[in-house]
Amino acid sequence: MLDRKVAQLLNEQVNKEFYSAYLYLDFSNYYYQEGLDGFGNWYKIQAQEERDHAMLFIQYLQNNGEAVVLEAIAKPDAVLDNLKAPLTEGLKHEQYVTGLIHTIYGAAHEVKDFRTVQFLDWFVKEQGEEEKNAEDLIKKYELFGGDPKSLYMLNSELSARVYTAPSLTL
Ligand code: MG
């Protein structure tokens, strides 16, 4: 059995990861609607990754004999009124998620639950990558987004992203 607070935070993270998937699906839909199918593809795959994260938290809870409680997933609340908006909202969201992971990490460390700490190590590293990806997208958009030809090339680059399963297995 896990510490009650740690188990609760892990359960809450399941919902946060599904919300992330929902948010990125919203971004994906926005870009498809705007005709930028490459950006749409990039965020559709990002949404798949977030679903994978949720499933990993579920699996970890189940491996530890914990009940999984699924709560309602909130409506995506980012205002998408220009092509750059999803990119900046995405970075903000990843920074928020990093904070959530760090909170669980801290709670697990406090009760010397080093197994959970080890499980979360992958997510700590993953968040570093997520923030870097989000920052890179913003930089590229700032460099190339203002010119139609360059935007077309960037869109083509993002259309090449393919889904890969998470490197963490439980
Ligand atoms: Mg995630």
Side-chain angles (χ1 to χ4, degrees):
M1 286 282 273
L2 298 173
D3 171 76
R4 287 304 83 207
K5 190 182 170 201
V6 171
Q8 189 197 329
L9 289 172
L10 289 167
N11 241 304
E12 285 171 7
Q13 194 61 29
V14 172
N15 186 270
K16 303 287 186 185
E17 298 292 342
F18 276 125
Y19 174 78
S20 298
Y22 228 38
L23 181 69
Y24 292 144
L25 193 55
D26 198 40
F27 291 3
S28 173
N29 293 341
Y30 168 77
Y31 281 123
Y32 277 115
Q33 191 65 26
E34 294 296 322
L36 287 172
D37 56 346
F39 285 75
N41 172 66
W42 200 91
Y43 277 110
K44 191 167 67 179
I45 289 168
Q46 194 62 28
Q48 284 177 285
E49 279 196 1
E50 299 303 343
R51 178 197 164 276
D52 288 339
H53 295 167
M55 298 307 286
L56 285 166
F57 279 100
I58 288 173
Q59 183 72 61
Y60 184 76
L61 284 162
Q62 289 173 337
N63 286 356
N64 286 278
E66 294 288 344
V68 178
V69 182
L70 296 178
E71 302 288 352
I73 303 166
K75 184 179 174 179
D77 61 353
V79 179
L80 309 178
D81 55 3
N82 66 83
L83 294 177
K84 192 182 169 187
L87 309 179
T88 49
E89 290 295 326
L91 175 59
K92 242 176 23 190
H93 184 68
E94 287 306 329
Q95 289 165 339
Y96 164 69
V97 173
T98 298
L100 295 174
I101 298 289
H102 288 185
T103 296
I104 312 172
Y105 197 102
H109 199 272
E110 204 178 304
V111 297
K112 293 187 162 42
D113 176 0
F114 298 119
R115 191 167 35 157
T116 298
V117 164
Q118 198 174 44
F119 164 70
L120 291 171
D121 275 339
W122 185 86
F123 285 93
V124 171
K125 187 161 169 275
E126 173 74 8
Q127 282 312 120
E129 288 169 17
E130 300 285 35
E131 286 190 32
K132 170 83 164 62
N133 288 340
E135 283 164 359
D136 285 353
L137 273 182
I138 291 171
K139 270 186 214 157
K140 283 183 181 176
Y141 186 83
E142 284 173 349
L143 282 169
F144 309 120
D147 169 61
K149 274 188 204 159
S150 305
L151 181 61
Y152 180 82
M153 299 283 282
L154 179 55
N155 185 63
S156 300
E157 181 190 319
L158 297 179
S159 72
R161 184 182 184 186
V162 290
Y163 169 75
T164 49
S167 58
L168 177 66
T169 47
L170 296 175

